[in-house]
Amino acid sequence: MTTEQQPRAQWLGRWGFVLAATGSAVGLGNIWKFPYMTGEHGGGAFVLVYLVCILAVGVPVMMTEIAFGRRGRGSPIDAVRRVVTESGRSSAWSLLGWMAMLCGFMILSFYVVVAGWSFSYLWKMLSGGLNGSGVDDMVAIFVANNENPFNLGFWSTLVTLATMLIVGKGVQAGIEKSVSWMMPGMVVMLLILIGYGVFSGGFGEAWRFLFSFNTGSLSSEGMLAALGHAFFTLSLASGAILTYGSYLPAGASIGRTTFSVAIADTLVALMAGLAIFPIIFANGMSPEGGPGLLFMSLPLAFQAMPLGTLFGILFFVMLSMAALTSSISMVEATVSWLVDNKGITRRTAAWGTGIVLWLVSTLAMLSFNLGADWTLAGRHFFDWLDYLTSRWMMPLGGLGMVLLAGFVLKSESFREELGLAPYWHALWLFMVRYVSPLGILVIFVDALGIARLEFGVHWPWLLAVLALITLVGELLSPRLRRTLAG
Ligand code: PHE
């Protein structure tokens, strides 16, 4: 049963999509993960590789996903099915949509726990619960925060409730309205924090740390981390961008909007680094703090600096908002699928999904306390969700999408939907056929532990392999198409 008599919701304008998609892309991945990954993987060199990955894999995959969404006008499952049947191909490809929807849901199940940390630290900042004088005190506070399942559960439940409340209100009244003030607010707060950093005395050091290009530190591990992070940070292959694309008005340019989102996402990540590291350096702390960088070192720094409580509050408000505008995007695919296929209202769909989410995320939350011993093959439930989604489902889903668009579907569908000038279209096609799949395969080769690819000095080889694959691919592609047609 479908309720497709009603016209599908749309963003009010191009900015609606750009803001919502940027809100989805900018999250804990940018503000918490990107800065410390940059620190671990050689600063400027990592930043450079990451930018290449965003351009070579992220942008083409994002364009493909948005095109799927807008052409299919539905949740990932329905949209992919419509687009493949339009080309006369097997509807079994909609499995890709199922995987994306599941992936978004699984990411959200652990994401709400981390977002809950942010909310709880905001509360600690407001209520003065962060008083301590040394790193040890901060570690103790972090541990205590995790130890009590009722405490940690309270915060992740709060995030779940807030997410469902926004999504339940609908595309324009809920998502578009909330991101249209949260995103600018977040940027203003980041700018204030950077402004503080400029005068804190640690800015020069932070700048060098982030942008000094040190080729010696370009490891294969760092390259792979950059590639994987490009997927996560742009919210790819998890239903989020595809579903948001399904609300994009017909006239908007997919290429231009994709670039806007990718650039905004990258800028926020760099700005987050410029906001966080001056504080760390000015207070003589180590940049390699990992998860602790945010939740253990930063509060300490906030205490040491003048007006620190105020800046601390600003920081955690910003982080909570960034997390929330991402979490709503992870569940939108599921909610829109339920609304389109089960004949229920959006509100019912949101709360129904919320209940299941609450159960799964509670299990993930318990990994930090009651379930500390519940491991399978050395991983907690929380770690499994992270591992399965980022190492397997996202790369696999992205690979399926680009191969589908590049080799299987009628070329007119995407030519029409993307509406690019011939030169740009040829470039997009080259990227989705060869460059992006090759990049994704690299993640797999690493994940499977088959080989650690060593690139540093082997770029010419990589280019030669790419040229060879392109040649063979172009020669085989009509046959490939017939075989894959199903
Ligand atoms: N891009 C988000 C971040 O950087 C995470 C995310 C992944 C959001 C998948 C939606 C879908 O935090």
Side-chain angles (χ1 to χ4, degrees):
M1 182 173 48
T2 58
T3 49
E4 283 167 341
Q5 305 88 299
Q6 294 172 348
R8 191 169 177 76
Q10 286 202 352
W11 305 112
L12 274 171
R14 186 164 89 95
W15 280 106
F17 174 80
V18 171
L19 278 177
T22 308
S24 168
V26 174
L28 298 165
N30 303 58
I31 301 177
W32 162 70
K33 210 169 178 189
F34 176 77
Y36 87 80
M37 280 176 101
T38 302
E40 277 177 354
H41 296 292
F46 176 84
V47 174
L48 198 73
V49 176
Y50 166 80
L51 292 178
V52 172
C53 291
I54 293 276
L55 266 181
V57 183
V59 168
V61 172
M62 188 184 270
M63 286 173 69
T64 309
E65 276 203 43
I66 299 173
F68 263 108
R70 186 166 74 179
R71 194 155 186 94
R73 287 277 181 227
S75 66
I77 299 169
D78 298 325
V80 173
R81 200 193 51 242
R82 280 187 203 124
V83 175
V84 292
T85 34
E86 178 197 56
S87 279
R89 303 302 188 219
S90 162
S91 60
W93 284 102
S94 63
L95 271 177
L96 277 177
W98 281 100
M99 189 165 72
M101 196 170 96
L102 186 67
C103 181
F105 189 87
M106 286 168 69
I107 295 176
L108 187 52
S109 304
F110 72 85
Y111 206 81
V112 294
V113 181
V114 184
W117 284 343
S118 176
F119 276 70
S120 68
Y121 269 69
L122 173 60
W123 173 247
K124 284 183 202 302
M125 275 284 166
L126 286 167
S127 65
L130 275 175
N131 286 324
S133 48
V135 177
D136 292 346
D137 293 332
M138 291 301 142
V139 174
I141 290 174
F142 191 67
V143 170
N145 197 37
N146 284 341
E147 230 164 30
N148 181 346
F150 292 103
N151 173 61
L152 198 57
F154 170 80
W155 294 107
S156 55
T157 304
L158 197 70
V159 178
T160 307
L161 282 175
T163 304
M164 292 311 166
L165 200 72
I166 298 174
V167 174
K169 279 195 175 161
V171 175
Q172 285 183 5
I175 299 175
E176 189 164 356
K177 201 168 160 199
S178 61
V179 295
S180 66
W181 63 269
M182 280 201 257
M183 293 310 290
M186 215 192 76
V187 171
V188 170
M189 280 183 264
L190 259 182
L191 287 174
I192 295 176
L193 284 171
I194 294 178
Y196 175 84
V198 170
F199 298 106
S200 69
F203 194 78
E205 202 176 338
W207 184 273
R208 277 190 300 280
F209 178 68
L210 283 169
F211 301 116
S212 62
F213 187 84
N214 176 3
T215 33
S217 52
L218 260 173
S219 68
S220 71
E221 178 55 32
M223 301 234 184
L224 292 165
L227 192 58
H229 191 61
F231 256 95
F232 186 82
T233 193
L234 291 179
S235 311
L236 299 176
S238 51
I241 292 298
L242 195 154
T243 312
Y244 277 9
S246 77
Y247 307 129
L248 189 66
S253 149
I254 291 180
R256 232 174 293 151
T257 41
T258 298
F259 271 102
S260 314
V261 175
I263 290 171
D265 182 71
T266 307
L267 282 181
V268 171
L270 297 177
M271 279 162 68
L274 286 179
I276 292 167
F277 285 116
I279 299 176
I280 298 286
F281 288 130
N283 290 279
M285 291 169 185
S286 158
E288 282 135 35
L293 189 67
L294 225 60
F295 297 104
M296 295 182 232
S297 319
L298 263 190
L300 199 61
F302 286 133
Q303 271 175 9
M305 68 201 212
L307 292 179
T309 309
L310 182 69
F311 287 111
I313 290 169
L314 275 183
F315 182 82
F316 284 108
V317 168
M318 180 194 75
L319 190 66
S320 305
M321 281 183 181
L324 211 53
T325 53
S326 296
S327 64
I328 54 180
S329 74
M330 295 178 206
V331 83
E332 177 58 21
T334 308
V335 170
S336 90
W337 181 77
L338 285 171
V339 171
D340 289 346
N341 292 281
K342 299 293 168 200
I344 54 177
T345 64
R346 176 170 264 276
R347 212 165 285 263
T348 316
W351 290 116
T353 311
I355 292 171
V356 183
L357 175 69
W358 184 79
L359 290 171
V360 183
S361 65
T362 299
L363 263 182
M365 179 276 290
L366 290 179
S367 298
F368 292 95
N369 36 65
L370 286 184
D373 301 329
W374 309 341
T375 56
L376 186 69
R379 285 194 178 87
H380 287 117
F381 186 59
F382 181 98
D383 305 328
W384 270 109
L385 290 170
D386 184 11
Y387 172 77
L388 285 176
T389 50
S390 63
R391 278 300 194 180
W392 293 95
M393 297 169 83
M394 287 182 138
L396 205 61
L399 188 62
M401 291 279 182
V402 286
L403 291 180
L404 193 52
F407 290 106
V408 183
L409 297 177
K410 286 202 185 110
S411 51
E412 303 87 73
S413 312
F414 280 87
R415 211 178 288 276
E416 256 172 49
E417 207 51 52
L418 294 171
L420 298 168
Y423 169 77
W424 287 110
H425 191 82
L427 183 63
W428 169 80
L429 199 61
F430 173 69
M431 296 306 254
V432 296
R433 278 188 169 180
Y434 307 107
V435 181
S436 313
L438 202 70
I440 295 165
L441 281 174
V442 169
I443 299 187
F444 267 121
V445 168
D446 173 72
L448 292 170
I450 296 172
R452 290 271 151 171
L453 298 178
E454 207 49 75
F455 294 110
V457 286
H458 300 315
W459 280 107
W461 282 109
L462 195 70
L463 289 179
V465 170
L466 186 63
L468 193 71
I469 293 178
T470 307
L471 197 71
V472 175
E474 288 302 308
L475 287 175
L476 287 180
S477 91
R479 197 181 321 155
L480 203 68
R481 255 184 237 205
R482 256 177 277 132
T483 336
L484 290 173

